[in-house]
Amino acid sequence: MRWDNLYIAGVGSYLPDQVETVDEAIAAGRYTEEKKAMNGYRAARVSAPGETGPVMAATAGRVAVERSGFAHDEFGVLVHSYVGHQGLDLWTPASYVQQETIGGSAPAYEVRMGCNAFVGGMDLAASYLYTHPDAHAGLVTGGDAFHLPYLDRWNSHEQNVDSDGGGAIVLSTRSGFARIRSMFTYGDPSLEPLGRCRAEWSTAPFPDGKTLQLDRSMQDYMHNKDIDLDEIVERISGGVQHSVSTALDEAGIELSDVRFFLHQQLAETIAEYGIYKLLGVDREKTTFDWGKDIGMVGTIDIVLGLEHVLTHREPKPGDFILLQCAGGGYVWTAAVVEILETPHWAS
């Protein structure tokens, strides 16, 4: 969808102080030299006790709200995104984040779309703001913490390295330092079995107490002789291409017009073949190599990349930034952002 009066007014992030390097993980027997060479990650952030996903999201949210300049009573919606456990069972983390950031009586929603949830949540928050004229601003947050025994950040994925942190963006229909020209979300639920396959249903979370092995379902699915692997790759690649090309078309620009291309902090091989060669993106336009020292932070890689561009890459008025994200299920979101001015906090 093309947006005419949708702005980014504030950005905030929080990363824990503790850094665990790939070499430390290898020495501890949780990672391998082969994975280091294949995936390219250098380090991950590790949250302290009590630094749950919602706690870190709220910290980032307070920064984004302060930077936006909007008063708490001007916020009409909060959308909180996440991938993993939020610190408590059968709980409402979005309402916690709301109380810790903007308060008030606006509705607080949770979005779960895998790693696509933050950017997909921006799409939902924008739609809410447009259908509620009295709501001038919306806060979108994300936060995750990944810990043993539930999940091993180094070993539960064959290719991803999961890192802890929180991020937030303030959207507004009034003003901001950047304008969102377009956003497009596209889903292909025929790929959902990649994350489920023949896994048995359980009656409660973490039923056997064994650390999650998140690639096992996909591997089982791929070994099914009735599955056409080429078709699966084509559908996943097609989702990336379709979301990006549609967002660009709706914004009225070409990929060559984009100065910065922000995507998730993927493994090296996935980024190379699933983004750069697939789309023809110049790697120098991304924050990928910088992000190797952080890892994949739940739903908020895009926020971290955007804040890094704003504070270290000197974007100028008129520059276009393309946000591209994907989540298991499968769902893709792409957004075209135009820089209007350098925010005061980034200079």
Side-chain angles (χ1 to χ4, degrees):
M1 178 175 178
R2 180 180 176 91
W3 299 97
D4 294 321
N5 296 293
L6 180 64
Y7 304 93
I8 297 178
V11 178
S13 67
Y14 174 82
L15 291 173
D17 293 332
Q18 183 180 347
V19 176
E20 187 173 9
T21 68
V22 166
D23 291 337
E24 289 171 339
I26 292 172
R30 295 171 65 189
Y31 210 58
T32 66
E33 292 286 353
E34 291 76 16
K35 288 182 179 180
K36 175 183 177 180
M38 177 178 67
N39 299 332
Y41 295 104
R42 294 189 290 259
R45 294 298 182 96
V46 180
S47 59
E51 284 187 328
T52 65
V55 168
M56 293 185 287
T59 301
R62 288 190 290 271
V63 173
V65 170
E66 181 180 0
R67 287 173 171 176
S68 76
F70 284 99
H72 289 189
D73 60 6
E74 295 181 278
F75 283 82
V77 65
L78 181 140
V79 177
H80 177 62
S81 66
Y82 57 93
V83 174
H85 182 61
Q86 293 290 281
L88 293 171
D89 292 322
L90 296 177
W91 180 53
T92 54
S95 295
Y96 168 85
V97 174
Q98 178 182 9
Q99 178 61 19
E100 294 293 314
T101 54
I102 58 175
S105 58
Y109 297 99
E110 296 174 27
V111 176
R112 300 195 71 180
M113 303 168 71
C115 296
N116 192 67
F118 189 98
V119 186
M122 288 174 59
D123 202 357
L124 292 175
S127 299
Y128 186 95
L129 291 176
Y130 259 67
T131 56
H132 295 75
D134 293 336
H136 304 307
L139 179 61
V140 182
T141 66
D144 272 295
F146 303 99
H147 291 285
L148 288 166
Y150 185 60
L151 188 142
D152 185 343
R153 70 181 72 253
W154 297 104
N155 200 39
S156 284
H157 295 272
E158 184 67 21
Q159 293 183 288
N160 295 347
V161 168
D162 293 306
S163 196
D164 304 341
I169 281 179
V170 173
L171 298 180
S172 173
T173 53
R174 278 188 167 181
S175 62
F177 66 85
R179 180 163 73 97
I180 296 180
R181 292 276 289 265
S182 68
M183 272 195 288
F184 179 72
T185 299
Y186 171 73
D188 185 349
S190 71
L191 296 168
E192 174 272 329
L194 285 169
R196 174 176 52 87
C197 193
R198 293 184 293 274
E200 294 183 2
W201 303 114
S202 63
T203 57
F206 201 33
D208 56 9
K210 295 180 180 179
T211 301
L212 294 178
Q213 296 298 316
L214 297 171
D215 294 316
R216 188 167 297 161
S217 293
M218 182 178 292
Q219 291 168 358
D220 289 346
Y221 187 74
M222 294 295 195
H223 289 149
N224 188 331
K225 62 181 177 61
D226 297 324
I227 298 302
D228 187 334
L229 297 182
D230 290 336
E231 180 184 357
I232 290 174
V233 172
E234 183 177 346
R235 295 184 79 89
I236 293 174
S237 300
V240 176
Q241 293 169 311
H242 182 52
S243 60
V244 168
S245 63
T246 302
L248 290 170
D249 288 345
E250 291 178 345
I253 67 169
E254 304 289 337
L255 184 58
S256 59
D257 298 320
V258 172
R259 184 178 174 195
F260 299 105
F261 189 107
L262 305 183
H263 62 80
Q264 294 153 280
Q265 198 57 38
L266 305 163
E268 177 79 30
T269 50
I270 298 176
E272 181 67 23
Y273 293 98
I275 300 291
Y276 308 140
K277 290 187 176 180
L278 177 68
L279 299 174
V281 172
D282 182 353
R283 182 168 174 155
E284 295 301 313
K285 293 185 175 183
T286 76
T287 59
F288 180 64
D289 291 303
W290 163 79
K292 287 183 176 182
D293 286 316
I294 299 173
M296 179 176 280
V297 191
T299 67
I300 67 159
D301 290 347
I302 299 297
V303 185
L304 299 175
L306 179 58
E307 187 172 46
H308 178 72
V309 163
L310 292 169
T311 55
H312 290 86
R313 302 281 287 272
E314 298 182 348
K316 298 176 175 58
D319 283 348
F320 290 108
I321 302 175
L322 196 146
L323 317 180
Q324 186 277 325
C325 208
Y330 261 70
V331 185
W332 299 265
T333 299
V336 175
V337 176
E338 180 184 5
I339 297 295
L340 302 178
E341 62 184 15
T342 302
H344 65 89
W345 47 265
S347 58

